[in-house]
Structures are given as C-alpha cells and as structure tokens.
Amino acid sequence: MRIGVLALQGAFIEHIKMLRALGVEAVEVRLPADLEGLDGLIIPGGESTTIGKLAVMYGLMEPLRQFAAQKPLWGTCAGMIFMAKEIGNGSAGRDQPLLGIMDVEVERNAFGRQVDSFEAGLDVSVFANGDGEPFPAVFIRAPRLVAAKGEAWVIAKLADGTAVAAQQGKWLVTSFHPELTDDLRFHKYFLSLVAEEK
Amino acid sequence: MSNNGNSNGQSEVGSIKVKRGLAQMLKGGVIMDVVTPEQAIIAEEAGAVAVMALERVPADIRQDGGVARMSDPGMIKEIIQSVSIPVMAKARIGHFVEAQILEAIGVDYVDESEVLTPADEAYHINKHPFKIPFVCGCRNLGEALRRIGEGAAMIRTKGEAGTGDVVEAVRHARTVLGDIRRLQAMPDEELMTYAKEIGAPYALVAETKALGRLPVVNFAAGGIATPADAALMMQIGVDGVFVGSGIFKSGDPVKRAKAIVMATTHFNNPQILAEVSENLGEPMVGINVSSLPESEQLAVRGW
C-alpha cells in the first residue's frame, strides 16, 4: 500500500511518520506527477488558504479532483476545509481555492482564535465495537462541520453536539489532528477504506 | 495553566500540545512582517501561513533608532480583522505586560523579540501561564532550550533582522542543528555536563537527544531576502522561514512574496527555484552584517 501526503505546507511529516509506524509506504506529494501509483492521499493540517493557493499555482487542483474520484482521500483540519463543497460565514470573503468534492459545509476558525484552541476526548462511531478510550482530539484554530449533506454522514461529535468528523464513501474529513497524537486509530481506519478500494 | 474556557465539556485550552501544535501547522511556510492591513492581505494572497503585525519593519527600526516597543493594539486588531491566517505580534524581551495585552486582543502567537528594545536585561517572560503560545529567538542550542524551558512553543533562529544579509541566519541555524548532531553522538553520561555547559535544562537536553531535533518547531529568521535565501535555510534543515523587511522593502512585494512562498514549498527543486527567482525587481537594500558594530546587532539581545 502506497499513501501520499500533500506536502505543500503544514503537518505532513507527522502524517508520514504515523503511516510508516503502520508499515505503509508514505510519500510526499508536491506536484501532479507525485500522485502516480498512490492508493490514497491525506491532506494534512496547515493553513487552508496557503495550501489552496499553492495547489493552484502548481496545477494540482484538477489532478487532485481526478485522483479523489478514484481513490480514498482524508483531510485533517485545513484538509477538511480544502475538500469541502461549501465554506460558511466566518470565513474571510476573499477567494480561497477549494477542491469542493465532499458534500459538507464547514465554518473556518469556528471555535475562535488560537487562545481558544483545545483538546477533547471524542467518541468515534466508526471505530469497531465502540471499544476503548475516547479519541484524543486536538483542535487548533479548528473548523467545524455546519452540515453533512447527501451521502456524507457525521462520524464524531463533541459533547455539545458540534459535528467534527464526517465520511462520504471513501472520503474522510476531521476538523482535528490525529497526526499530533500517538493514537493510530484514525490512520488505521483510513487505511481500511484504502484496502476496501484496492 | 490549563483551564476550561471552552463550552465543550471536558475540553482543555492552552495546553502545551495546542500551543506547539499551531507551529506544526505553519511548517513549510513563510511568516511575513506586515505594517498595514493592505500588506497583510497581500501576504495572505501570496500564500503566507501567518503574518507578524508590527508598526515598523526591522530595517526601519534599525534606521530610526530609539526605543522599539510593542505595536499599537488598535493597529494589530485591524490586521487581525483583515485576514483569516494567524496573526503574530512582538513583545519586548521580559515585558510580560505587553504579552498580556497581546493575549487580551486575540493575537495567535507572541514573538518575544530581540528586534524590540529589551525591557529586562536578566529575565525573559515566564511563558507557561499564558494561554497563547510564544515564539522566541535563539543563536544556539542552549539559548533555544532555555526559551523552551520558559514555555516557548516555537523557536526561530535569530539571524540579524533588518539587514537583508542571510549570513547570520545561516550561522545560527547551522549552530543549533550542529549542536543537536553533536548531542546525538554523546553517550548519556555526558549529558548533564553538557547541559551545564550550554546553560540548558537537563530534561530538555535529554529529550532533544532522543528526538534528534528540537522538541518544538524551528523556523529561520533575520536577513532572508530572496527565494534562494528561503530555500537555503530549508535545505539547511529549518521547518519554515520568517521574512521581515525583505518583502515590503523590495521593489515588487507582491511578486517577491509569492516567489518566496513557492521557494519554501519547493526548496529541493532547483528548476522551480530558478523559475520563481526570475524578474523579481529590486531586492531590499542590504546592510553587510560584518560592517555592523556589536552595539547595533540585535541578535546579541537575549540571555
């Protein structure tokens, strides 16, 4: 199994380390040609405006959309914003390039500024038999899911009901950062989606 | 240190993980000095991962002389409202009240910076009690680990701000990274004496050895003026770059800002570096650091 991590900017090395810890071949993706031969792609946390602009500058938008049509994609935080079809208010009105593939609406910086960034335990519905500990979720200037539409469905919520993770077929989005923890469950779950598609 | 300021049940704000985590999200990116909302928007449009809001860029602070202080909070707030990316601002070394003010107005990161005139010649700010994270400058591993010991969640090598001369940025990055490489080769029985020699907390020395890198994100700063400078620092091994005077003191800030962003992402791709380095117009007028007397060097501030 060969998984790419979009490496334009952000926490891509953290994802690569976790994938390698799971025995998977992980590669950095900076240009369209890097997508060749990958079984899945992770779009890491970072600054979504920056990632979007860099993707446009190097002609990655269409290749990424074509890749997503065939293969599993997982966006964490900035990656979730980038994959969404809609960004709600609270986002600065200027143009922000989006892949716009997943039927979710997100709100950027939905919990406030850095001073409001937080950690919280989460129950994740798709983890097998609901066993074990809550997932240690790290929210950094995080977005939230305003709505999951069509075939997209919410897979994790905060205690107050705010939706923070969703799935649509082979696509996954989380508004928090599993790559900043040493909990491998989300990465394993994504790899299980990749295995199903292969 | 951590209290429950959030409405989501058992959540924790201001933890070390979320403070350090924001810096992890900035990696591979460029943080640009801006003095107006218009410049902040140009920086965001160019792909900056964050902006540093200040009244004067280091080149002007250097030229004007006098006491350099925290910027007007009203001006910082205008910049905060004008962009969606994180906004940083500088407090003087040791001036914890300036830091409290910056926290109160919602700045995302405080730079306890030698570019401003130090407020305390013995002590830096105790950064642990703050809910917002701090970035601090360093010239070597001991200085980096002292700052992390005080609670810094991000480090930048100092370089020599406001000069457009990359030589000090290179010196400081090579010193920190070289110190870590030597540390990794040391047997454990030498660590305590090494910690004593470099004036760093033992636990952080041991942690750095185990990680093979600083426990926090490490950017380069001070003198970066071209896309090639940015890529040079990335290849030397830092996690990202700060560009101060280099962009808005140049002939074509929009183009240069974009070029430096692309050079930082594609730092290992000489073909792209060549493309983005073309026709950038006049770079900032530089000051050769070796011509600066020590009394005019900013990097020596910090204890």
Side-chain angles (χ1 to χ4, degrees), chain B residues 15-274:
Chain B
S15 65
I16 285 188
K17 188 162 255 181
V18 301
K19 287 176 171 178
R20 292 182 178 181
L22 177 56
Q24 286 173 276
M25 297 309 134
L26 305 179
K27 283 192 304 180
V30 183
I31 300 169
M32 300 182 191
D33 279 3
V34 298
V35 300
T36 62
E38 293 71 36
Q39 288 186 356
I41 291 166
I42 290 174
E44 184 177 47
E45 289 291 314
V49 289
V51 291
M52 178 75 70
L54 68 182
E55 275 167 352
R56 292 177 291 172
V57 294
D60 290 332
I61 290 175
R62 196 174 274 292
Q63 202 167 28
D64 298 351
V67 176
R69 309 178 179 90
M70 175 187 79
S71 297
D72 179 341
M75 168 267 177
I76 296 170
K77 276 157 73 179
E78 278 180 37
I79 288 178
I80 287 175
Q81 281 151 16
S82 69
V83 290
S84 66
I85 54 179
V87 176
M88 302 183 165
K90 291 182 193 289
R92 282 178 270 179
I93 289 173
H95 206 315
F96 49 86
V97 174
E98 285 186 349
Q100 289 163 6
I101 291 170
L102 294 175
E103 179 172 64
I105 62 173
V107 159
D108 295 298
Y109 239 96
V110 174
D111 182 6
E112 187 184 17
S113 177
E114 71 283 358
V115 168
L116 305 183
T117 311
D120 192 320
E121 294 196 327
Y123 306 109
H124 282 252
I125 298 171
N126 173 20
K127 296 165 266 290
H128 291 291
F130 289 84
K131 282 194 283 183
I132 49 169
F134 282 69
V135 54
C136 288
C138 75
R139 287 164 297 169
N140 52 51
L141 181 59
E143 197 173 7
L145 296 182
R146 286 195 294 281
R147 299 294 86 82
I148 297 167
E150 293 156 359
M154 177 178 183
I155 287 293
R156 55 175 175 76
T157 48
K158 287 178 179 171
E160 191 55 37
T163 61
D165 187 347
V166 79
V167 67
E168 293 299 299
V170 168
R171 187 194 319 281
H172 299 154
R174 279 204 184 279
T175 303
V176 171
L177 297 168
D179 288 346
I180 294 171
R181 286 188 287 265
R182 275 187 294 282
L183 171 61
Q184 283 184 279
M186 283 177 204
D188 285 347
E189 64 269 24
E190 294 181 7
L191 297 192
M192 183 58 84
T193 299
Y194 184 65
K196 185 178 80 172
E197 278 168 9
I198 66 171
Y202 173 80
L204 289 175
V205 170
E207 187 183 354
T208 303
K209 181 188 169 186
L211 293 171
R213 58 157 295 138
L214 288 178
V216 303
V217 166
N218 177 28
F219 272 43
I224 295 160
T226 69
D229 288 349
L232 172 69
M233 299 316 299
M234 294 297 290
Q235 287 197 28
I236 285 174
V238 300
D239 297 319
V241 298
F242 282 87
V243 184
S245 322
I247 289 170
F248 290 101
K249 285 283 162 190
S250 74
D252 188 346
V254 173
K255 201 166 176 194
R256 185 167 294 262
K258 234 181 215 179
I260 292 178
V261 168
M262 288 196 266
T264 305
T265 291
H266 298 284
F267 66 94
N268 259 333
N269 188 329
Q271 201 61 47
I272 291 179
L273 295 176

Side-chain angles (χ1 to χ4, degrees), chain A residues 9 14 94 113 119 160, chain B residues 8 15 25 27 44 106 108:
Chain A
Q9 184 273 317
E14 288 81 349
R94 275 186 307 285
R113 304 192 64 81
E119 295 180 60
D160 70 356
Chain B
N8 304 303
S15 65
M25 297 309 134
K27 283 192 304 180
E44 184 177 47
D108 295 298

Side-chain angles (χ1 to χ4, degrees), chain A:
Chain A
M1 203 181 276
R2 193 174 147 91
I3 306 293
V5 182
L6 192 65
L8 298 174
Q9 184 273 317
F12 53 89
I13 291 159
E14 288 81 349
H15 273 298
I16 285 174
K17 280 187 183 153
M18 292 186 88
L19 291 169
R20 288 183 183 155
L22 289 167
V24 169
E25 188 184 353
V27 297
E28 296 179 5
V29 174
R30 288 193 173 80
L31 294 169
D34 300 332
L35 290 167
E36 211 139 298
L38 298 180
D39 300 308
L41 181 76
I42 297 177
I43 303 174
E47 282 306 316
S48 61
T49 321
T50 308
I51 291 172
K53 287 182 187 299
L54 284 164
V56 170
M57 287 177 205
Y58 278 91
L60 272 160
M61 299 297 277
E62 271 317 305
L64 283 172
R65 288 187 186 117
Q66 282 164 16
F67 183 87
Q70 317 284 329
K71 304 280 172 63
L73 223 63
W74 173 22
T76 57
C77 194
M80 163 164 133
I81 297 166
F82 193 44
M83 284 171 66
K85 277 196 175 154
E86 267 179 85
I87 322 187
N89 53 10
S91 313
R94 275 186 307 285
D95 78 300
Q96 169 174 11
L98 299 177
L99 283 183
I101 53 173
M102 196 150 148
D103 261 328
V104 292
E105 182 185 343
V106 301
E107 180 190 350
R108 287 189 63 185
N109 299 338
F111 301 95
R113 304 192 64 81
Q114 173 61 15
V115 68
D116 308 301
S117 290
F118 63 101
E119 295 180 60
L122 275 189
D123 290 320
V124 182
S125 65
V126 289
F127 291 165
N129 60 29
D131 62 336
E133 304 283 298
F135 189 86
V138 183
F139 294 84
I140 297 176
R141 286 172 45 98
R144 72 179 173 101
L145 282 162
V146 179
K149 304 167 184 172
E151 288 171 25
W153 46 293
V154 172
I155 58 170
K157 286 179 182 173
L158 289 168
D160 70 356
T162 307
V164 290
Q167 183 175 344
Q168 179 177 346
K170 54 190 180 295
W171 301 327
L172 200 57
V173 289
T174 57
S175 63
F176 48 91
H177 296 281
E179 75 276 18
L180 295 188
T181 70
D182 47 19
D183 194 317
L184 292 165
R185 281 178 288 173
F186 250 105
H187 286 81
K188 281 184 188 157
Y189 182 66
F190 178 65
L191 294 181
S192 76
L193 298 181
V194 176
E196 277 172 33
E197 291 293 319
K198 263 191 88 144

